[in-house]
Amino acid sequence: MARKHSLSWVHLGDNLVTVAPIGLFLGRLASFMDGDLFGRVTQVPWAVRFPAEIHLASFQPVQATRLAVERLPVSSFDIMQVAHSVPQVMDALLLILNPRHPSQLYAAALEGLLLFIVLYAVRTRARQPPEGLLCGLFFLLHAVFHVGVGFLREPRDGDPMWWGLSQGQLFSLPMFAVGLMMLGWSLSRRAHPAGLLAQEPGAANGPC
């Protein structure tokens, strides 16, 4: 599209990443509603219980139970459908589920809402931000937020860990590096704008 309309692809990218956090925000909210990608066990007052945890290989019920959890559906939505139709299942789930960080909401707030506010503020309030600045900020901040939230998220079964980082956190490191490079490139263009050439000695004095 940029080549077809003779537009700078970096300028086009700056405009796209400004609104991209809105999609991330909605996606993280959908994950919360679906009970997917939930957080680690915690005792914070805002902790949430996610029914899908019963299928984790590491699941440890809060209390001993006779509920045949292996016979329940996989998704949180389907589990709750069963629980609403069978009160005994609901009672058992309330007793055995662990309170967990709502990491999807953390991600929605940071990778979605906060990132959008930062990019929109730079886009609208900065005086002619150099090309690539918004792209660099997006990659950099998204990587930082994603890695940070990852420490509170329950790792997926079978997800390998390296140096205490999950696979998703490791994948964010190249994004962080790209963001740094784009910021450096963008700010260097602001310091040395194209088309501004040094004058030859004596040129400022005009012809003799």
Side-chain angles (χ1 to χ4, degrees):
M1 180 184 294
R3 180 179 298 178
K4 179 179 179 181
H5 296 282
S6 300
L7 298 175
S8 166
W9 68 270
V10 179
H11 179 72
L12 180 62
D14 284 338
N15 286 287
L16 292 176
V17 299
T18 303
V19 297
I22 297 176
L24 293 173
F25 175 78
L26 296 175
R28 300 302 186 241
L29 289 184
S31 292
F32 176 75
M33 296 174 64
D34 191 49
D36 188 26
L37 301 176
F38 45 78
R40 298 175 186 265
V41 176
T42 182
Q43 297 299 323
V44 296
W46 56 87
V48 178
R49 290 175 171 84
F50 296 95
E53 78 155 326
I54 62 175
H55 295 300
L56 291 176
S58 58
F59 173 61
Q60 294 291 333
V62 176
Q63 298 183 22
T65 180
R66 300 177 61 183
L67 180 65
V69 294
E70 70 279 357
R71 298 177 59 183
L72 290 175
V74 175
S75 72
S76 292
F77 177 81
D78 292 334
I79 294 173
M80 292 308 298
Q81 290 285 93
V82 174
H84 283 299
S85 60
V86 184
Q88 294 86 345
V89 173
M90 178 69 79
D91 294 339
L93 288 175
L94 291 175
L95 292 175
I96 67 175
L97 293 177
N98 293 281
R100 293 178 174 273
H101 282 291
S103 56
Q104 313 96 321
L105 297 184
Y106 301 162
L110 295 173
E111 301 173 24
L113 187 60
L114 180 58
L115 185 54
F116 172 74
I117 291 174
V118 171
L119 295 177
Y120 185 77
V122 174
R123 179 75 172 81
T124 57
R125 298 193 177 187
R127 181 179 298 177
Q128 295 181 340
E131 285 190 348
L133 179 64
L134 293 173
C135 282
L137 283 174
F138 174 81
F139 287 125
L140 181 69
L141 293 178
H142 183 271
V144 170
F145 294 152
H146 190 75
V147 170
V149 172
F151 289 115
L152 300 177
R153 179 177 294 157
E154 182 71 28
R156 290 178 178 271
D157 285 338
D159 187 2
M161 302 287 288
W162 291 279
W163 309 292
L165 299 177
S166 68
Q167 194 174 46
Q169 289 173 301
L170 287 175
F171 287 159
S172 295
L173 298 183
M175 182 182 293
F176 180 85
V178 170
L180 277 180
M181 290 188 292
M182 291 202 70
L183 279 178
W185 174 80
S186 177
L187 294 176
S188 68
R189 286 170 57 88
R190 166 59 65 86
H192 306 286
L196 207 58
L197 302 178
Q199 292 181 324
E200 294 181 1
N205 298 325
C208 297

